[in-house]
Amino acid sequence: MNWKARAAQLKTDIPALWLCLRAKETPLLAKVLAAVTVGYALSPVDLIPDFIPVLGYLDDILLLPALVALTLRCIPKETLEHYRAEAAGLWVDGKPKKWYCALPVVALWALGLYLLAKLCRRGG
């Protein structure tokens, strides 16, 4: 599989991981890994900031695909294939059909900003 095909597969695998995260058939370890992977993929904060030349994109090129590959190995094949097929239909006409999938990420960021603001108030 070439790089373009792998990148295209990531666009389906990350939503599939989100769907597998909610499935009862997914083992606990796979759910934890899926939560970390999807959270990292959707997070605007990178482990290595993108503005650092060359190194900034290494996490996008190496870390995210490695997390996805590790998580996919932990999910039963039948479950993964079912949710890959469902994930392929999530985007229609460039818009997600299930936009509410982003709510947990938005909620985590809102909680983080709230705690940061609370910490700043207490320190000042």
Side-chain angles (χ1 to χ4, degrees), residues 7-121:
Q9 186 65 40
L10 275 178
K11 289 183 180 181
T12 303
D13 283 346
I14 292 172
L17 290 179
W18 167 255
L19 296 171
C20 287
L21 179 62
R22 303 179 334 189
K24 291 180 182 177
E25 305 87 22
T26 306
L28 181 61
L29 175 62
K31 286 185 179 195
V32 171
L33 286 171
V36 169
T37 303
V38 171
Y40 187 75
L42 297 177
S43 174
V45 177
D46 286 340
L47 194 59
I48 303 169
D50 288 342
F51 63 82
I52 298 173
V54 181
L55 293 178
Y57 291 104
L58 279 180
D59 63 340
D60 297 329
I61 294 171
L62 298 175
L63 183 62
L64 187 58
L67 279 172
V68 169
L70 178 65
T71 306
L72 292 177
R73 288 179 181 251
C74 296
I75 297 172
K77 190 172 186 172
E78 304 82 30
T79 304
L80 179 60
E81 291 306 318
H82 171 75
Y83 288 111
R84 267 187 176 159
E86 189 175 326
L90 279 179
W91 292 80
V92 177
D93 298 328
K95 297 179 183 176
K97 286 177 19 182
K98 296 184 178 182
W99 57 268
Y100 56 83
C101 293
L103 289 179
V105 175
V106 172
L108 282 174
W109 277 104
L111 176 64
L113 289 174
Y114 169 76
L115 292 174
L116 182 65
K118 192 173 178 179
L119 181 67
C120 288
R121 264 193 237 155

